[in-house]
Amino acid sequence: MSEAIRFLPPRPAVLSRRAAIIADLTDLLPADCLVHEPRELVPFETDAFISYRRLPLAVVLPRTTAQVAAVMRYCHRYGIPVVPRGAGTSLSGGAIPQEDAVVLGLSRMSRVLEVDYANRTAIVQAGVTNLSISETVGVDGFFYAPDPSSQLACTIGGNIGMNSGGAHCLKYGVTTNNLLGVKMVLVDGTVIDLGGKHLDAAGYDLLGLVCGSEGQLGIVTEATVRLIAKPEGARPVLFGFETSEAAGACVTDIIGAGIIPVAIEFMDKPAIEICEAFAQAGYPLDVGALLIVEVEGSEAEMDTMLAGIVEIARRHDVKTVRECQSATEAALIWKGRKSAFGATGRIADYICMDGTVPLGKLSYVLNKTSEIIERYGLRVANVFHAGDGNMHPLILFNANDPEDAAKAEEAGNEILKLCVDAGGCLTGEHGVGIEKRDLMRHQYSEAELAQQMAVRSAFDEDWILNPSKVFPLEGRA
Amino acid sequence: MSEAIRFLPPRPAVLSRRAAIIADLTDLLPADCLVHEPRELVPFETDAFISYRRLPLAVVLPRTTAQVAAVMRYCHRYGIPVVPRGAGTSLSGGAIPQEDAVVLGLSRMSRVLEVDYANRTAIVQAGVTNLSISETVGVDGFFYAPDPSSQLACTIGGNIGMNSGGAHCLKYGVTTNNLLGVKMVLVDGTVIDLGGKHLDAAGYDLLGLVCGSEGQLGIVTEATVRLIAKPEGARPVLFGFETSEAAGACVTDIIGAGIIPVAIEFMDKPAIEICEAFAQAGYPLDVGALLIVEVEGSEAEMDTMLAGIVEIARRHDVKTVRECQSATEAALIWKGRKSAFGATGRIADYICMDGTVPLGKLSYVLNKTSEIIERYGLRVANVFHAGDGNMHPLILFNANDPEDAAKAEEAGNEILKLCVDAGGCLTGEHGVGIEKRDLMRHQYSEAELAQQMAVRSAFDEDWILNPSKVFPLEGRA
């Protein structure tokens, strides 16, 4: 992949005008909204896909939609690439800049503008963190459903760019299912509104199109999101199985029976050990794979759903069924799961894949993944949103050994191709970014890719918005 | 609106080649897939928006995706407009043809191709009727959720074109929330696949964009849809109120409390009387407005949710609360509701509006609607999906009186503008079609409309797909 990860060559007309561009941006924005000293640009040179980095030309940190519009109007006029950035937590390199780009950071637009319970909506600025929405409305018994593991840091703007998910999306859907409207600055600085506090849209669903478009169709500055009432109660339950295959088959049968709990999370033995060592969550260590199944509602509702799930789990020779007994225990169980990536980072370097597969193929893909990893002589920890078929193999390697790193990348590519070949998809919630750009040809035919690129051009004719991402660099029109 | 309803002028280059086009289509398709005798074209001259009609140039009724592709390749080469058609039940004129158009009817592509319970999916051809999906999987305890009132006749292809809804969409979402993939023929005959049996899509969400695009971005020939397990039980409950205002405020408070039943349907007094006279559903006749609230799940779950709803209804001085006692009674209650349009047609001509409003504005918009109707000296019956804020005022008039018809159209336009001004939208589930085309300027700014049209052009540069629909005829690029 290293070879494929190269960036587009910088636009000479932009690089050569660096000083003038910075002077122009200084005129456009308050002094504290512009960063251009090389030393100060370093925090913006990469995101959570840390393998690759580039210092941008400058960083702007606007406070208002009008300032975003002014920057876009300017950059559009002079053909200057713009890379939008939320909190920089992208795992696919979605926020990695390039030398000729202005990074447009939304972190200062972090206010909750309105909470409207009658319509179960909140209007927030794009730089608001995911968790702070739920924190704002939690006191009134509501929450915002999508819950990426990075929710403490990641922003709603970034969530919209990547159509982010999370453990609780099995029941409540991912970002696109919880987004009702956006205010967006088009590439030329025009401000448009898409959607709102109402069902449907007249004409095309541009809101749905924008969600997951990785910052290439415009800059979202405000979002109207759906609020959901907190359930009466919620209870994570641990199901331990002999093998990953049995756990995977159990998930397939739960969903196949039409039972939709709030979450079904999967951990294989390496993941259990890594997370337990970090969080002391109380996970059973004598099993080959673990499911965390969360049910919610009244006690009676939880009991009913759980009974159906236990019955199915028994058919797959479940070894351990442990209902958590307290809120503290529940919080620990989720802490262990949500810190899986960080905990893995303590013991090794890793890359995190993000393929999705049809539920019926879960066990098959888990088995094949093991085969691939063994063939490369690597190790893997699987910890993922099983109910959604959204797999996250964490491939462990030594970043100081270039050969090991190359093997990890190759194995990762094989696993993603495996997901696609099984009827799945390259990405569930992390986006394509730089990471999976060249695998798009494995997912799509030339006509399908061409149609996506034509849509992109209908928003951004000169491809200045986040230009190195999503589409293979070769073969662009 | 009559003036605005005029069609695009026919393309002379197409009209003058009529005989040659029919000969060419005869070569492309089996003989029984082509209709071109003027007498036989009559059934295709309009849809359920019967105010306007045009005989098309020809009708093709292909049986395979390859035949659809051949027709598109041909029509694209010669710039011949193509109007896709499902069952012709569109209430906004989405399937009304024009003199220079080939109608592409999908009614013969009506097979369920695959049912896959492990993935809770069905793959169906575009001409399958909505209800037949649920009929196919019902025996195994599953159903397809969106349930337009026309579900006995309307096709999944048409549902995708209009992003159709229905009474039970409050809990389960509309078509876009239940659609996982499509096979689609692009305007030049290229066949692409969007989505599939997996979460998310790599790159842009073209599937979401296509859903609701009114046949202008391509011809959907197959769809992968989500199946849902039937609930343990379901129970419609009737809530009668003194006034429409009280019923509307009650809906706002139910949803505002975060309670999401399966359905909340609203009927005002005229609608109750019309539907009761037709269906003898047992609706109370001594109330000013009625809510049909359906709860589902186990008996305990239904009781719990219902208790919460009854408590809120009491705050709005509910007069009648009647739980239905049997499956027969439940079926009758729904029969009355679902036949509302037909029942209204027995007593008067009507046009059915389809605006959506934020839930918090329900009572306000109901009041204002009454004012508008009174000002025009007309009558209205309101029967709609209240939980979604999707209003359906049925404006009654005499179609044989041109002045009355004009007044009804004007009043309808005022009501839709009212919905938009209240923060809502021109359409909930019927689409823009011909009917609301010229109101798009009231919903959108020039930049917003221009962006939608640019996206359309990215799929269909020459605008041959369903060209008279969605966008105002004036001001197109």
Side-chain angles (χ1 to χ4, degrees), chain A residues 199-221:
Chain A
L199 182 77
D200 205 21
Y204 305 149
D205 183 10
L206 295 191
L207 178 66
L209 176 67
V210 163
C211 192
S213 62
E214 309 203 10
Q216 296 192 323
L217 306 185
I219 311 290
V220 169
T221 60

Side-chain angles (χ1 to χ4, degrees), chain B residues 16 32 71 118 141 145 187 189 217 229 238 254 271 278 287 297 373 390 399 402 474:
Chain B
S16 65
D32 66 339
V71 170
V187 71
L217 306 185
L238 302 179
I254 293 169
F278 177 79
V287 298
I373 291 294
N390 184 189
E474 294 80 17

Side-chain angles (χ1 to χ4, degrees), chain B residues 198-269:
Chain B
H198 52 75
L199 183 77
D200 206 22
Y204 305 149
D205 183 10
L206 295 192
L207 178 66
L209 176 66
V210 163
C211 192
S213 62
E214 309 203 9
Q216 295 191 324
L217 306 185
I219 311 290
V220 170
T221 59
E222 290 178 17
T224 304
V225 299
R226 169 76 74 205
L227 303 177
I228 294 176
K230 285 187 193 172
E232 198 177 323
R235 204 193 294 165
V237 183
L238 302 179
F239 292 84
F241 295 84
E242 194 76 53
T243 63
S244 286
E245 196 171 359
C250 181
V251 174
T252 299
D253 285 358
I254 293 169
I255 303 290
I259 301 174
I260 312 294
V262 186
I264 306 182
E265 296 289 304
F266 180 109
M267 289 181 173
D268 65 6
K269 197 169 185 65

Side-chain angles (χ1 to χ4, degrees), chain B residues 22 25 109 149 151 241 245 275 289 326 340 367 404 408 429 471:
Chain B
I22 288 167
L25 290 172
M109 296 186 68
S149 296
Q151 66 184 138
F241 295 84
E245 196 171 359
C275 294
S326 69
N367 277 338
D404 213 41
E429 53 184 3
F471 301 105

Side-chain angles (χ1 to χ4, degrees), chain B residues 51-356:
Chain B
S51 318
Y52 302 90
R53 54 194 70 219
R54 281 286 192 285
L55 277 190
L57 191 151
V59 176
V60 294
L61 300 168
R63 286 199 178 81
T64 66
T65 297
Q67 288 172 351
V68 173
V71 170
M72 287 313 307
R73 203 157 41 236
Y74 173 77
C75 290
H76 177 252
R77 184 174 300 154
Y78 293 100
I80 304 163
V82 173
V83 175
R85 183 182 181 98
T89 56
S90 171
L91 288 161
S92 64
I96 297 179
Q98 50 191 63
E99 301 97 313
D100 57 354
V102 170
V103 168
L104 202 163
L106 279 302
S107 57
R108 289 202 178 139
M109 296 186 68
S110 58
R111 282 190 306 138
V112 174
L113 300 175
E114 184 200 279
V115 171
D116 175 356
Y117 293 122
N119 287 303
R120 294 195 303 129
T121 52
I123 302 180
V124 301
Q125 289 185 312
V128 115
T129 63
N130 173 291
L131 191 60
S132 66
I133 303 175
S134 291
E135 284 174 348
T136 303
V137 298
V139 59
D140 297 309
F142 285 83
F143 69 108
Y144 174 67
D147 59 339
S149 296
S150 59
Q151 66 184 138
L152 192 66
C154 67
T155 66
I156 195 75
N159 291 179
I160 293 168
M162 295 312 194
N163 190 20
S164 303
H168 291 74
C169 290
L170 176 56
K171 175 169 177 182
Y172 292 113
V174 295
T175 302
T176 194
N177 307 112
N178 291 278
L179 180 70
L180 295 171
V182 295
K183 187 179 285 298
M184 184 166 95
V185 179
L186 293 175
V187 71
D188 67 356
T190 309
V191 180
I192 66 172
D193 288 293
L194 300 175
K197 295 181 184 178
H198 52 75
L199 183 77
D200 206 22
Y204 305 149
D205 183 10
L206 295 192
L207 178 66
L209 176 66
V210 163
C211 192
S213 62
E214 309 203 9
Q216 295 191 324
L217 306 185
I219 311 290
V220 170
T221 59
E222 290 178 17
T224 304
V225 299
R226 169 76 74 205
L227 303 177
I228 294 176
K230 285 187 193 172
E232 198 177 323
R235 204 193 294 165
V237 183
L238 302 179
F239 292 84
F241 295 84
E242 194 76 53
T243 63
S244 286
E245 196 171 359
C250 181
V251 174
T252 299
D253 285 358
I254 293 169
I255 303 290
I259 301 174
I260 312 294
V262 186
I264 306 182
E265 296 289 304
F266 180 109
M267 289 181 173
D268 65 6
K269 197 169 185 65
I272 297 168
E273 286 168 357
I274 289 166
C275 294
E276 182 62 20
F278 177 79
Q280 284 93 49
Y283 298 150
L285 293 168
D286 60 343
V287 298
L290 184 68
L291 298 179
I292 307 173
V293 180
E294 182 152 296
V295 292
E296 68 175 28
S298 67
E299 288 298 319
E301 283 164 19
M302 292 193 281
D303 287 345
T304 304
M305 182 173 276
L306 208 47
I309 295 169
V310 168
E311 195 191 315
I312 292 170
R314 293 243 163 83
R315 279 187 244 145
H316 296 280
D317 299 323
V318 65
K319 285 182 69 179
T320 316
V321 178
R322 223 188 61 222
E323 295 189 38
C324 88
Q325 304 299 327
S326 69
T328 316
E329 206 181 325
L332 260 180
I333 285 174
W334 281 116
K335 184 186 169 204
R337 166 61 187 91
K338 292 212 171 188
S339 57
F341 292 5
T344 304
R346 296 200 314 165
I347 64 153
D349 302 302
Y350 69 89
I351 47 174
C352 170
M353 301 290 102
D354 176 46
T356 59

Side-chain angles (χ1 to χ4, degrees), chain A residues 119 193 202 204 216 359 444 448, chain B residues 119 202 204 216 359 444 448:
Chain A
N119 288 302
D193 289 293
Y204 305 149
Q216 296 192 323
L359 258 282
Y444 293 113
E448 287 157 356
Chain B
N119 287 303
Y204 305 149
Q216 295 191 324
L359 257 282
Y444 293 114
E448 287 157 357

